[in-house]
Amino acid sequence: MKILAIESSCDETATAVVEDGRHVLSSVIASQVEEHKIYGGVVPEIASRRHTEAISQITTQALAEANCTMDDIDAVAVTAAPGLIGALLVGVNFAKGLALKYDKPLVPVHHLRSHIASNYITYPDLKPPFLALVVSGGHTHLVEVKSYTDYRVIGRTRDDAAGECMDKSARTLGLPYPGGLNLDKAAKNGNPSAYKMPHPHVEGAPFDFSFSGLKTFVINTVHNCEQKGETVSVEDMGASVINAVVTCLVGNTEKAALELGYDKMVLAGGVSANSVLRERMTSCCASHGWQMFMPSLDLCGDNAAMVGAQGYYEYIAGYTAGLDLNARATMPIEEEF
Ligand code: KG4
Ligand code: ZN
């Protein structure tokens, strides 16, 4: 079964053709990074406009690269929540138009479910149940994935996402957008113990996270140093904040796996590209003899192949939508459209 998938939740316009949820026949990404770089972050209105300009052309391209026409496509899957509402609407409306014109089923996909599904492409034999750590620019969730369409969130951030903490730390240190990636690179040879970082934990909720204190610590330290005419080592501060974030992420995941009896761990979301997180999660799982899965680097960030992968499982579970489908800026991962 072939799915045409569309993603436009943030600053990448992406389309893909995916067969049976696992085989990527084509995957096209029109990135807006260069444009948002000037502003140091994503400007929602610009993102929506660029999606509108790119979506038709990259859909044609994804079909051509997969050697398909719309006649070969069995369903159209689209990211419908959560994300920037104006950006999501571009993809949802385009997908509705295709579904109507070509008389295809329309499959709405939750963005975080699709991040988890990027692992089904990287590991064709991976099946739920497992425990997933989903870390993106806007979300930090520990999720029990009981089946392809059944989820239970057991831990979440109480304030900022891990990606937000990395991005704002990077910006404060003078690194260009996209912050997380540049912080990872800049911190490669830094000393992770150079700065004494706060160790946030949420009282009474051992699997929850809190990253706003870490972000504030970086901002205050950098500003205090500037006022005193002192310089901050970008590589040492970068390494220290990454170490603090990763320690929380891996620590809570380990606690949850031990308490709930999981031996299969999955990483997902843009921050799963972080080199320190990948290393530390791998060694944590190895020390317990747990299986560890993480998306290949090209599938960590936003893309449509992962939407096609999750869309397949949503479709076979019967979760299709009518032409009254609406995009939603927020939506729990447990809910159906
Ligand atoms: O999943 P994603 O592409 O978009 C959202 O759904 O939010 O995640 C984007 C986040 C950004 O915060 C970005 O800085 C972060 O992923 N990111 C990284 C790395 N690459 C991307 N964070 C840390 N280290 C990286 N190598
Ligand atoms: Zn994402």
Side-chain angles (χ1 to χ4, degrees):
M1 171 176 181
K2 292 192 180 83
I3 292 198
L4 172 68
I6 295 168
E7 150 67 34
S8 69
S9 66
C10 190
D11 60 344
E12 325 272 7
T13 328
T15 51
V17 178
V18 181
E19 190 162 23
D20 298 334
R22 302 276 174 164
H23 310 291
V24 182
L25 304 184
S26 65
S27 178
V28 185
I29 301 176
S31 175
Q32 306 175 359
V33 164
E34 289 309 314
E35 190 152 7
H36 296 292
K37 204 177 242 175
I38 311 164
Y39 306 98
V42 179
V43 183
E45 180 58 23
I46 293 176
S48 311
R49 283 165 191 252
R50 296 299 166 259
H51 288 314
T52 309
E53 287 162 10
I55 198 156
S56 177
Q57 188 216 320
I58 64 162
T59 301
T60 307
Q61 193 180 336
L63 287 168
E65 286 181 13
N67 267 324
C68 286
T69 67
M70 280 306 289
D71 290 342
D72 305 309
I73 297 296
D74 298 290
V76 179
V78 61
T79 310
L84 300 171
I85 190 67
L88 285 166
L89 277 168
V90 176
V92 167
N93 284 326
F94 191 77
K96 281 195 213 178
L98 287 176
L100 177 66
K101 178 171 180 196
Y102 296 100
D103 194 21
K104 305 287 177 187
L106 178 65
V107 185
V109 174
H110 189 287
H111 185 59
L112 299 185
R113 290 189 184 194
S114 69
H115 270 301
I116 293 170
S118 62
N119 286 280
Y120 303 144
I121 299 168
T122 306
Y123 305 94
D125 297 324
L126 173 64
K127 293 183 177 71
F130 51 74
L131 185 64
L133 173 66
V134 190
V135 269
S136 72
H139 298 86
T140 306
H141 280 8
L142 254 176
V143 191
E144 281 188 271
V145 182
K146 295 164 177 258
S147 79
Y148 292 109
T149 53
D150 185 9
Y151 303 77
R152 186 170 82 101
V153 176
I154 56 162
R156 65 177 74 239
T157 182
R158 294 294 183 101
D159 39 59
D160 291 333
E164 157 77 11
C165 177
M166 305 258 204
D167 289 343
K168 291 297 169 347
S169 298
R171 189 152 90 180
T172 307
L173 289 166
L175 297 169
Y177 170 85
L181 175 64
N182 288 315
L183 192 71
D184 194 2
K185 284 187 191 157
K188 273 269 165 340
N189 300 312
N191 171 9
S193 317
Y195 292 90
K196 199 170 159 15
M197 310 295 290
H199 285 287
H201 79 112
V202 182
E203 207 53 54
F207 309 146
D208 278 0
F209 305 94
S210 167
F211 294 113
S212 68
L214 278 171
K215 181 179 86 174
T216 309
F217 175 85
V218 175
I219 294 171
N220 288 345
T221 306
V222 170
H223 288 170
N224 287 343
C225 285
E226 275 168 8
Q227 281 162 1
K228 289 192 243 163
E230 295 169 7
T231 50
V232 173
S233 158
V234 173
E235 54 177 28
D236 286 349
M237 180 59 93
S240 300
V241 71
I242 290 173
N243 177 53
V245 170
V246 169
T247 300
C248 297
L249 293 173
V250 177
N252 285 13
T253 308
E254 184 180 31
K255 262 186 283 181
L258 288 171
E259 191 165 319
L260 300 168
Y262 280 93
D263 59 4
K264 224 163 140 182
M265 318 296 284
V266 164
L267 258 185
V271 182
S272 66
N274 183 268
S275 58
V276 181
L277 178 59
R278 290 170 87 89
E279 277 164 32
R280 295 262 292 275
M281 196 62 110
T282 303
S283 57
C284 167
C285 289
S287 72
H288 291 286
W290 297 337
Q291 280 183 288
M292 157 79 193
F293 303 88
M294 52 192 172
S296 56
L297 284 176
D298 58 324
L299 289 168
C300 290
D302 293 341
N303 64 85
M306 67 186 190
V307 180
Q310 183 61 25
Y312 171 75
Y313 292 103
E314 299 289 340
Y315 180 74
I316 57 178
Y319 296 123
T320 55
L323 293 175
D324 57 349
L325 172 68
N326 207 353
R328 290 168 61 179
T330 60
M331 178 176 170
I333 191 172
E334 296 97 333
E335 229 172 78
E336 300 301 336
F337 285 90

